[in-house]
Amino acid sequence: MFLLYRHPLRGGKVHNLDPEKDELLSMGENALFIEHPFDKSNRPNEKDPSLMPWTDVNELPYTICGPYLKDLFERAFIEGLHNPDKRPSAGDWEEGLIKTIDLLHPCENPLCEQKWFVFDNETSPVCPFCGWNNKERFPVLHFYSHRKKGVHSSDNHRFVVHHNRYLYPWHVYRSVIPNEKLAQEYKTPVGYFVHHKNKWIFVNRQLTEMKDLSENKKIPTGSMVELKEGKQIVLSGKENGRVIYTKFL
Ligand SMILES: [Zn+2]
């Protein structure tokens, strides 16, 4: 409800003419996801204008929440709805939400009511709320981290770069998680990205071990580096430290 302003199980299906029994069945034994891909019998009633556009699941399907949350929606409301063991844990949702923040892309249509949308890894991102289409190229960082000596594995975590976006310690280390337990020392940004004269630049404010792997040179604290297609940058050489791989869209 927080993400899409609609209840995932309250749709148009009537299970019993007695409202009390209907409530029990639709929230329990007969519960059915309003966006179930095959059983469409519980699609929401779109007639109430005060609930639009949120009750229009064709226009704003749950998939607009991006790839990480899409997977969790499916485990919670399709596979696991009548099989609690298959549902994601609170920790899975926390991780999905945290990673999704890094996929937020600003919508530059001044009339857009939402201003942000989740980048879905399509080559030409379109804002699902207003149809604005980003035709400019921008970098997406792919995170890798040290697991075994000398080996970097993909973290299945992408980061959409936009002007003035900050990079935080939880991007630098796989082991740092930005939740309520986050230590004070990890709360300040380590650097930021700027779009200047058609170049995408990262300004390193705090990282002491930053290194441009593509050019094999250090990026000292206080200096900057231009992001280019395929550029690989070590954020930290420590255990759990990350390497980024730059891809332009
Ligand atoms: Zn928009």
Side-chain angles (χ1 to χ4, degrees), residues 22-51:
D22 186 60
E23 174 71 10
L24 273 178
L25 288 170
S26 55
M27 293 299 119
E29 208 178 311
N30 289 359
L32 174 63
F33 184 34
I34 58 168
E35 293 183 74
H36 194 284
F38 312 120
D39 185 346
K40 299 181 179 174
S41 60
N42 198 24
R43 289 288 188 268
N45 267 324
E46 293 167 16
K47 291 185 186 105
D48 185 347
S50 68
L51 302 174

Side-chain angles (χ1 to χ4, degrees), residues 209-220 224-228 230-235:
E209 297 175 0
M210 200 172 178
K211 190 177 166 191
D212 184 335
L213 265 190
S214 310
E215 288 179 34
N216 197 24
K217 64 179 186 197
K218 285 189 172 176
I219 305 163
M224 48 186 90
V225 58
E226 186 188 343
L227 298 175
K228 289 182 182 165
K231 172 83 83 187
Q232 292 181 53
I233 297 169
V234 177
L235 298 177

Side-chain angles (χ1 to χ4, degrees), residues 27-181:
M27 293 299 119
E29 208 178 311
N30 289 359
L32 174 63
F33 184 34
I34 58 168
E35 293 183 74
H36 194 284
F38 312 120
D39 185 346
K40 299 181 179 174
S41 60
N42 198 24
R43 289 288 188 268
N45 267 324
E46 293 167 16
K47 291 185 186 105
D48 185 347
S50 68
L51 302 174
M52 288 297 278
W54 301 103
T55 44
D56 187 347
V57 299
N58 296 316
E59 202 56 40
L60 300 176
Y62 68 96
T63 50
I64 63 167
C65 295
Y68 311 123
L69 295 178
K70 172 186 177 286
D71 176 54
L72 298 177
F73 267 91
E74 287 164 4
R75 282 164 57 200
F77 301 119
I78 302 172
E79 291 155 45
L81 189 57
H82 294 283
N83 198 342
D85 291 346
K86 292 196 170 169
R87 291 180 203 158
S89 65
D92 293 334
W93 281 104
E94 182 180 71
E95 188 189 332
L97 288 163
I98 289 167
K99 283 165 74 175
T100 298
I101 292 171
D102 291 337
L103 292 185
L104 286 181
H105 188 300
C107 174
E108 285 168 25
N109 171 7
L111 301 174
C112 181
E113 286 186 5
Q114 296 300 318
K115 310 288 182 214
W116 296 89
F117 62 95
V118 183
F119 167 65
D120 58 2
N121 220 20
E122 293 291 327
T123 41
S124 179
V126 177
C127 172
F129 305 105
C130 73
W132 176 81
N133 175 216
N134 187 3
K135 293 186 184 77
E136 276 192 40
R137 300 193 75 204
F138 62 95
V140 175
L141 310 180
H142 293 246
F143 289 148
Y144 289 77
S145 56
H146 298 283
R147 310 250 168 157
K148 272 185 281 174
K149 206 171 165 48
V151 181
H152 299 130
S153 310
S154 168
D155 291 329
N156 182 29
H157 186 159
R158 293 181 293 278
F159 180 100
V160 172
V161 176
H162 55 78
H163 184 60
N164 281 338
R165 176 156 239 183
Y166 291 131
L167 196 77
Y168 284 94
W170 55 86
H171 299 122
V172 179
Y173 303 102
R174 187 162 50 95
S175 49
V176 176
I177 299 163
N179 60 17
E180 73 283 4
K181 295 178 202 119

Side-chain angles (χ1 to χ4, degrees), residues 166-215:
Y166 291 131
L167 196 77
Y168 284 94
W170 55 86
H171 299 122
V172 179
Y173 303 102
R174 187 162 50 95
S175 49
V176 176
I177 299 163
N179 60 17
E180 73 283 4
K181 295 178 202 119
L182 185 70
Q184 198 58 37
E185 62 188 291
Y186 293 134
K187 289 185 179 172
T188 45
V190 295
Y192 57 93
F193 298 90
V194 281
H195 192 202
H196 182 66
K197 292 186 178 164
N198 258 335
K199 286 180 177 172
W200 286 95
I201 311 261
F202 176 73
V203 181
N204 177 13
R205 295 293 300 275
Q206 285 190 15
L207 297 175
T208 52
E209 297 175 0
M210 200 172 178
K211 190 177 166 191
D212 184 335
L213 265 190
S214 310
E215 288 179 34

